[in-house]
Amino acid sequence: RSCPALYAHGVTVKSQWRKVQSQLDDTPESKALDKIERLAVFEEVVRELEAKEEEQRQREREAERRQERKRRDAFRALLSQKHLEGAFHVRSRWRDVAEMLAPCEEYKGALDQSGSTPSEMFEDFIEQLNEAWQAQRKTLKALMAALHGTFSVTLETRFDEFEAAVRGADNGTLAGVPPSAIVAFFDELREKLEKDKAEEEQRAERKRRAAFDAYQDTMRGLMGALLSSTTTWEEACEVMRGKPAAAALSEAEQRAAFDELVETMRVAEAAEAEVDGGDDESRHKRKKHRDRDRERRDRGDRDRREEEDEEERRRRKKEKKSKRHRDERDDGEGEKRLKEEEAE
């Protein structure tokens, strides 16, 4: 029972009946209906208008979803293209590629929309690459094993040298391995070497620091109050001659440990001299602070040495366990051969 007069008077979903009814009183359609029927027709028209608006919004939302899906697909295609070009690989991180992708229109399109962000789509892409990467990695490890004794990767090895070596050892297994996977494997090897080097340097520095501390502690113990910032290198050499703490260091390292100790004492003596004018209570407090600092430092030195001793014990235990396993394996093989000979 839609009333054309309602449409003609510009009724919308926001129109109110009390404002519309006075405009419709003189229309033929309105005069043919009683008051209750007029209201019912008005409500029906408003529902029709609401349904049409909802349909229009639905069409717009669907169109926007299609556009967003196209923009996401375009960005995924960009990722695939960049991956094939070798711009990044399976071990790359979003922070490594974000700057490279920022100028691309596909990236900008994926950025200005709802749903998955570019970084999330990148992580999904890497996850998909990971499934194939595990098999590719096994292939490359097998090639490196075949090259054992003739080629190895060091921190000085260039990628072109590595690639030439693995391709030279290949017998067709690299056909399904993309260039980006070879780059990823090379980066993995270098990262392990860098990590091993850093750990070795840390161990060497801890060992050096422990030797320095032992040298300085021995000198403090032997010289006592005679040790000061004016102590000479010659005096130190005379006191430390033949001591294990000195023998553990080269002459240059001994001199460095001595210079470090003398500089520490010079700074402490200067600070003490600067405040010598204070009263007895102030001097007593300063002495307590110095004693407490010295005790804390000594405790830290002891803890560090104990930690290094524990690490050395674990290393020796591991070596002993490995040797025992080798001996047991050799004994087992010898017993097996003996039984075979007896059987013959």
Side-chain angles (χ1 to χ4, degrees):
R1 296 184 308 170
S2 300
C3 181
L6 292 175
Y7 293 107
H9 282 79
V11 172
T12 68
V13 293
K14 295 182 179 180
S15 298
Q16 297 177 333
W17 173 244
R18 61 185 177 80
K19 294 181 179 180
V20 172
Q21 61 179 335
S22 60
Q23 302 173 12
L24 301 172
D25 285 344
D26 297 331
T27 62
E29 294 90 348
S30 182
K31 289 178 179 181
L33 302 172
D34 60 30
K35 187 173 181 179
I36 297 301
E37 289 175 325
R38 293 174 193 172
L39 177 59
V41 170
F42 170 78
E43 291 175 343
E44 182 180 344
V45 168
V46 170
R47 283 194 295 272
E48 290 177 357
L49 293 173
E50 288 175 341
K52 289 180 179 179
E53 283 196 3
E54 179 58 31
E55 289 176 3
Q56 179 61 27
R57 284 195 294 270
Q58 186 65 26
R59 284 193 294 270
E60 291 174 355
R61 283 196 295 267
E62 186 59 33
E64 179 60 25
R65 279 196 292 269
R66 284 196 297 270
Q67 288 300 318
E68 289 182 348
R69 187 162 53 249
K70 288 180 180 179
R71 288 193 285 266
R72 286 193 294 270
D73 290 345
F75 181 69
R76 292 189 181 102
L78 174 67
L79 291 177
S80 181
Q81 175 190 341
K82 293 295 185 183
H83 173 252
L84 290 175
E85 292 173 355
F88 67 90
H89 51 69
V90 68
R91 303 185 73 250
S92 299
R93 298 293 177 263
W94 173 245
R95 62 176 178 271
D96 302 326
V97 301
E99 186 176 351
M100 172 191 67
L101 297 174
C104 303
E105 291 301 322
E106 294 88 344
Y107 170 80
K108 295 175 183 177
L111 195 63
D112 299 330
Q113 65 174 18
S114 60
S116 299
T117 64
S119 62
E120 291 171 340
M121 286 186 279
F122 174 80
E123 295 300 335
D124 291 342
F125 186 80
I126 292 297
E127 187 174 341
Q128 293 172 4
L129 291 180
N130 254 314
E131 297 175 4
W133 160 245
Q134 298 306 321
Q136 295 161 359
R137 186 171 178 271
K138 287 182 180 178
T139 298
L140 290 164
K141 287 185 71 175
L143 288 174
M144 285 302 296
L147 287 168
H148 181 68
T150 60
F151 177 82
S152 62
V153 175
T154 68
L155 289 175
E156 288 71 38
T157 304
R158 301 192 311 273
F159 173 71
D160 59 328
E161 296 173 334
F162 169 76
E163 184 178 24
V166 295
R167 291 195 182 281
D170 181 40
N171 56 2
T173 57
L174 282 178
V177 179
S180 59
I182 300 177
V183 175
F185 188 70
F186 177 69
D187 287 351
E188 181 181 277
L189 295 177
R190 280 187 56 85
E191 286 177 12
K192 185 180 185 305
L193 290 172
E194 290 169 353
K195 181 182 178 182
D196 291 345
K197 180 183 178 182
E199 290 177 351
E200 180 60 32
E201 289 175 347
Q202 290 173 358
R203 285 192 294 270
E205 177 57 28
R206 286 197 299 270
K207 184 177 180 180
R208 173 184 172 276
R209 184 66 259 172
F212 270 42
D213 291 343
Y215 181 91
Q216 293 170 355
D217 291 345
T218 301
M219 185 178 293
R220 285 193 185 99
L222 292 172
M223 297 193 69
L226 296 176
L227 180 64
S228 71
S229 61
T230 60
T231 299
T232 64
W233 167 238
E234 289 71 20
E235 292 172 334
C237 288
E238 184 64 27
V239 170
M240 295 296 293
R241 182 176 291 113
K243 301 298 184 292
L249 297 174
S250 67
E251 184 176 351
E253 289 173 330
Q254 291 182 50
R255 183 58 188 262
F258 168 77
D259 290 342
E260 182 181 274
L261 176 60
V262 168
E263 177 61 19
T264 300
M265 300 196 70
R266 186 193 66 76
V267 172
E269 290 170 4
E272 188 173 340
E274 186 177 346
V275 293
D276 264 350
D279 55 27
D280 292 342
E281 183 178 354
S282 298
R283 283 195 294 272
H284 179 67
K285 287 182 178 179
R286 289 193 297 273
K287 184 178 184 302
K288 285 180 64 178
H289 284 308
R290 288 196 300 272
D291 292 343
R292 189 161 53 248
D293 290 343
R294 186 180 300 108
E295 182 181 352
R296 188 182 300 113
R297 185 175 60 252
D298 292 344
R299 186 165 57 251
D301 293 342
R302 287 195 302 272
D303 291 345
R304 184 169 59 253
R305 286 194 292 271
E306 289 174 1
E307 180 182 348
E308 290 166 355
D309 291 343
E310 179 63 25
E311 182 178 348
E312 180 65 18
R313 282 195 295 271
R314 286 198 297 268
R315 186 185 65 79
R316 290 179 180 177
K317 184 178 180 181
K318 185 176 180 181
E319 290 179 353
K320 185 176 180 181
K321 184 177 180 180
S322 298
K323 183 177 183 301
R324 187 171 66 250
H325 286 171
R326 288 195 301 270
D327 293 343
E328 290 173 354
R329 186 171 62 250
D330 293 343
D331 291 344
E333 291 176 355
E335 184 177 349
K336 182 179 179 181
R337 285 194 300 269
L338 182 60
K339 288 181 179 179
E340 290 174 350
E341 291 173 358
E342 290 175 352
E344 290 176 357

